[in-house]
Amino acid sequence: MIGLISATAAGATARDRLAAAWPDRTRVYEGPVGDAVRAAFAECEQLVCFLATGAVVRLLAPLLADKRTDPGVVCVDEGGRFAVSLVGGHGGGANELAVEVGELLAAQPVVTTATDAVGVTGLDTLGFPVEGDVAGVSRALLDGEPVALDAELAWPLPPLKVSANGSYIIHVSDRAAEPGEREVVLRPPSLVVGVGASKGAPVDEVVGLVESAVRDAGLSLKSLAELATVDAKSDEPGIVGAARRLGVPLVTYSAEELAAVEVPNPSEAPLAAVGTPSVAEAAALALGGELLVPKRKSERSDGRPAMATCAVVRRLARGRLAVVGLGPGARDLLTPRAKAELRRAAVLVGLDQYVDQIRDLLRPGTLVLESGLGAEEERARTAVAEARKGQAVALIGSGDAGVYAMASPALAEASDDIDVVGVPGVTAALAAAAILGAPLGHDHVSISLSDLHTPWEIIERRVRAAAEADIVVTFYNPRSRGRDWQLPKALAILAEHRDPGTPVGVVRNASRPDESSRLTTLAALDPATVDMMTVVTVGNTATRDIAGRMVTPRGYRWQEVAE
């Protein structure tokens, strides 16, 4: 919950805007400001104070205890100009909250955390525990000192500016070894514990079994990702309570799914009870991995039979491939999600000219693998191969990555051994349409006139079908130096079914500094004025030139009424 505190009418106005926008996330604290801040600090995960920073500092000072547990605090000035991340930038999420508040209130977010200020990945922002000399190693990263990465586990980390050797070390491990001087250990969520339990098994018995199994294997409980069991035990209080106490989700599988998992220690007892010869081992191994601790039973001090079993598996690290659409070129048409994925990627793969567009958005330490025109399949293979190494990879393309871009060759190469995320982008057709007016107001189709990958016979059949169906057509790749006859041929096919005065929109370099556009007609368009940087949109029989804008009505009946 986010506590909202204000002292003046202006602050209350901005406060109420946040409360209205986030009704399920916020709580307004009324009354004397000091009392309100103290109450919100004790009850909320985050605070937004519409007060002077000096006043907030004095109110917070006696309350601060530990940056790992204190709420994140954002301070907004009376004029609503700035949203300042004041306390708990990383641990309390104040940096992200300042950005969110800034977007909602049109205020400038102010983030002074050193790593954020220079774009270096903060070790305490990775989403899993970190132990050791976090401040010292972070300072070394900031100062450009050599920091070595010792990754016992391959895990899709964000970019870290590391060297082969260094006096500072970042370990990636789920083992219980303590970090030494100038070292940190990142604890990725690599351990899955399968659990079985008799009806009525106490929570303490299940928790004690899990903790001892992990510790005895020399592993860290901070790398525990989840407990897993059979569906029939999904509401068993001892198992549910254990997951809650350990702070991890409980994942369940059907008896049929678990019965299909090969395990070293099957048993008749669970087969008779829940329909599978293994619960603990099978649940832990359900999604694959390395069995580190075979099935073991709990030990009871009262001498009674054990009521719980568990097994520990190290899950296989899965690489992450984000296929990112960069939009048509303008920075303000690059989506926030695309920006976030670019900053998250440790490896970036893309066409050299597209890499140049967004190079300034990459974090220090990002490995950039760029190539020239005509290497789409090679880039797709490279991106998938890097993801299979356990890396966090971004594969970029212009417009939307799924439209004449990199998504299809990448997904043709990828299998289910990596995670794939699609990030949509503004396509060239949409960018051009916004410039022209509303040419895509009814059914429309995009057709590439490049026959480098598609035989012309197929392209011609598609153009003819669109012409006969009276569909608005946007032509990609309309004309190049070596392909100068396809556009005239396509226009001739459309002319068999449409009036010579049918509006045609021509947009070159949509959304870029040298953008140009014009509205002409099917009869008047000169194909020689078109090149590969151009998008050509041909209207249907209902499309009109209205005040210099290309407009296709949403329905033919509307057009009839207008006439």
Side-chain angles (χ1 to χ4, degrees):
M1 186 63 65
I2 303 172
L4 305 180
I5 302 103
S6 63
T8 66
T13 299
R15 176 202 69 192
D16 292 344
R17 287 176 59 191
L18 280 189
W22 300 336
D24 298 327
R25 297 176 61 189
T26 58
R27 180 186 303 160
V28 173
Y29 285 79
E30 304 278 8
V33 170
D35 293 342
V37 169
R38 285 187 288 273
F41 193 90
E43 298 170 357
C44 298
E45 292 81 21
Q46 296 175 319
L47 281 69
V48 179
C49 299
F50 296 87
L51 305 163
T53 54
V56 177
V57 167
R58 291 185 178 88
L59 290 169
L60 291 178
L63 308 177
L64 298 176
D66 189 324
K67 71 176 185 178
R68 293 170 297 183
T69 57
D70 288 337
V73 180
V74 171
C75 190
V76 180
D77 66 288
E78 282 290 295
R81 298 169 301 166
F82 303 104
V84 182
S85 173
L86 193 63
V87 172
H90 287 165
N95 291 351
E96 292 85 354
L97 181 59
V99 173
E100 286 189 273
V101 171
E103 290 177 350
L104 190 59
L105 300 181
Q108 176 66 45
V110 179
V111 175
T112 58
T113 311
T115 50
D116 295 85
V118 298
V120 173
T121 301
L123 297 176
D124 52 354
T125 65
L126 301 179
F128 42 81
V130 55
E131 303 173 9
D133 186 11
V134 177
V137 176
S138 296
R139 188 167 53 251
L141 289 169
L142 288 168
D143 293 343
E145 296 188 45
V147 177
L149 178 65
D150 173 29
E152 180 182 321
L153 297 176
W155 211 264
L157 299 172
L160 294 168
K161 196 172 184 180
V162 294
S163 309
N165 299 290
S167 56
Y168 294 84
I169 303 175
I170 299 173
H171 300 279
V172 183
S173 175
D174 56 15
R175 298 196 179 277
E178 293 295 322
E181 186 179 356
R182 296 187 170 188
E183 295 181 350
V184 296
V185 181
L186 303 179
R187 301 292 190 190
S190 57
L191 303 178
V192 177
V193 177
V195 179
S198 302
K199 185 175 179 59
V203 172
D204 288 343
E205 183 172 345
V206 178
V207 171
L209 173 62
V210 172
E211 291 179 339
S212 63
V214 171
R215 279 198 302 263
D216 292 350
L219 301 169
S220 172
L221 277 166
K222 292 183 178 179
S223 281
L224 184 59
E226 61 192 36
L227 297 189
T229 192
V230 66
D231 283 348
K233 296 294 180 178
S234 62
D235 58 355
E236 181 63 42
I239 295 178
V240 174
R244 185 180 300 114
R245 188 180 300 180
L246 292 165
V248 295
L250 176 63
V251 178
T252 64
Y253 300 94
S254 68
E256 292 76 15
E257 290 175 305
L258 296 187
V261 179
E262 292 188 13
V263 298
N265 301 293
S267 172
E268 293 296 325
L271 179 61
V274 294
T276 173
S278 172
V279 173
E281 288 181 342
L285 288 166
L287 297 180
E290 177 187 3
L291 184 62
L292 302 180
V293 179
K295 180 178 71 175
R296 61 185 285 177
K297 296 181 179 181
S298 55
E299 297 180 359
R300 296 177 62 106
S301 58
D302 58 8
R304 299 177 64 184
M307 299 187 72
T309 60
C310 82
V312 183
V313 163
R314 177 181 288 136
R315 64 166 51 169
L316 301 175
R318 292 172 62 86
R320 187 176 190 276
L321 174 61
V323 188
V324 181
L326 300 181
R331 178 58 60 86
D332 59 352
L333 291 182
L334 178 66
T335 67
R337 187 180 300 179
K339 292 178 183 178
E341 289 294 346
L342 294 175
R343 295 177 65 79
R344 176 174 180 167
V347 180
L348 182 87
V349 182
L351 179 67
D352 48 13
Q353 64 188 51
Y354 297 152
V355 172
D356 289 341
Q357 290 180 20
I358 48 83
R359 197 182 298 271
D360 63 300
L361 296 177
L362 305 179
R363 289 187 184 274
T366 305
L367 174 62
V368 177
L369 303 176
E370 53 189 311
S371 53
L373 286 167
E376 288 85 357
E377 288 78 9
E378 177 187 344
R379 285 194 289 276
R381 286 192 293 269
T382 297
V384 171
E386 290 294 324
R388 286 189 173 130
K389 295 177 185 177
Q391 298 273 28
V393 182
L395 174 62
I396 60 173
S398 66
D400 182 276
V403 180
Y404 303 123
M406 294 305 303
S408 54
L411 296 186
E413 291 287 335
S415 53
D416 62 358
D417 57 344
I418 62 174
D419 295 324
V420 178
V421 177
V423 182
V426 178
T427 68
L430 296 179
I435 294 165
L436 294 170
L440 309 183
H442 206 295
D443 297 336
H444 53 274
V445 63
S446 296
I447 299 176
S448 171
L449 294 183
S450 172
D451 56 1
L452 295 178
H453 299 286
T454 306
W456 173 252
E457 292 76 14
I458 294 177
I459 296 173
E460 181 174 339
R461 188 163 69 245
R462 292 171 178 172
V463 174
R464 195 170 298 280
E468 293 173 352
D470 197 29
I471 297 175
V472 175
V473 182
T474 296
F475 288 124
Y476 280 70
N477 306 312
R479 183 177 180 275
S480 67
R481 292 179 181 178
R483 295 185 301 99
D484 59 0
W485 58 269
Q486 286 91 341
L487 179 58
K489 176 65 175 176
L491 295 174
I493 293 172
L494 291 173
E496 295 173 10
H497 300 270
R498 300 184 191 180
D499 186 271
T502 299
V504 175
V506 180
V507 180
R508 188 176 190 279
N509 285 331
S511 87
R512 299 185 182 183
D514 55 346
E515 168 190 299
S516 64
S517 65
R518 67 184 188 279
L519 186 56
T520 182
T521 65
L522 188 56
L525 175 61
D526 180 4
T529 62
V530 173
D531 61 14
M532 287 289 287
M533 306 303 293
T534 305
V535 172
V536 177
T537 300
V538 182
N540 64 13
T541 57
T543 305
R544 297 290 183 266
D545 177 345
I546 301 176
R549 301 181 183 91
M550 188 176 178
V551 180
T552 302
R554 289 182 59 186
Y556 286 81
R557 292 179 180 174
W558 291 11
Q559 185 66 23
E560 291 170 1
V561 170
E563 293 176 349

